[in-house]
Amino acid sequence: QVQLVESGGGLVQAGGSLRLSCAASGRTFSSYAMGWFRQAPGKEREFVAAISRSEITTYYGDSVKGRFTISRDNAKNTVYLQMNSLKPEDTAVYYCAAAPASGYYSVVHTTKYDYWGQGTQVTVSS
């Protein structure tokens, strides 16, 4: 079992930045690829970013490429999402999740993840 707790969400003006954190406890954190997803009201959960177990490989959704950066610290059991140049359309609840396998098709789909956090709200005002 892995428990995930997100933090760092809040209200920010367009063009601003936020850094989300996701602290993991339970089974070995470094055994899992980690991902961030988001869900806006009335929309499906959307892939944002993912990082492999070894920290070597990262993946990003098209809408956040060049603006968001995912990273992880296996010594601290934490994954981060640095969000820059935020836009109102980035407003959503952001979730972190843990997947047992890396590789693009193993991290972009919600069904590939075994554990999810409860989410943190990010609101970007125009």
Side-chain angles (χ1 to χ4, degrees), residues 70-83:
I70 189 171
S71 62
R72 67 188 294 166
D73 186 337
N74 286 342
K76 295 183 178 180
N77 285 4
T78 302
V79 61
Y80 305 97
L81 185 69
Q82 178 66 43
M83 306 186 294

Side-chain angles (χ1 to χ4, degrees), residues 49-72:
I51 188 167
S52 65
R53 289 170 285 190
S54 63
E55 308 175 46
I56 293 175
T57 307
T58 57
Y59 309 91
Y60 295 95
D62 289 340
S63 61
V64 306
K65 281 180 182 176
R67 301 188 297 123
F68 290 12
T69 302
I70 189 171
S71 62
R72 67 188 294 166

Side-chain angles (χ1 to χ4, degrees), residues 1-7 21-37 45 72 76-80 94-100 112-120:
Q1 192 78 2
V2 175
Q3 292 80 41
L4 302 172
V5 179
E6 302 96 336
S7 61
S21 299
C22 173
S25 60
R27 287 191 169 183
T28 307
F29 176 72
S30 59
S31 298
Y32 292 88
M34 298 299 297
W36 286 96
F37 289 77
R45 196 164 293 192
R72 67 188 294 166
K76 295 183 178 180
N77 285 4
T78 302
V79 61
Y80 305 97
Y94 283 71
Y95 300 90
C96 72
K112 301 297 186 181
Y113 287 80
D114 290 345
Y115 303 103
W116 292 83
Q118 292 186 331
T120 185

Side-chain angles (χ1 to χ4, degrees), residues 9 11 13 30-31 47 54 56 67 78 82 86 89 93 95 97-98 104-105 123:
L11 174 64
Q13 289 188 332
S30 59
S31 298
F47 171 72
S54 63
I56 293 175
R67 301 188 297 123
T78 302
Q82 178 66 43
L86 283 162
E89 51 263 43
V93 177
Y95 300 90
Y104 178 79
Y105 293 103
T123 303

Side-chain angles (χ1 to χ4, degrees), residues 13-18 66-68 83-88 90 124:
Q13 289 188 332
S17 298
L18 281 175
R67 301 188 297 123
F68 290 12
M83 306 186 294
N84 298 329
S85 303
L86 283 162
K87 305 175 181 179
D90 293 319
V124 184

Side-chain angles (χ1 to χ4, degrees), residues 36-50:
W36 286 96
F37 289 77
R38 67 187 183 187
Q39 189 165 20
K43 294 187 177 182
E44 293 188 352
R45 196 164 293 192
E46 174 191 18
F47 171 72
V48 174

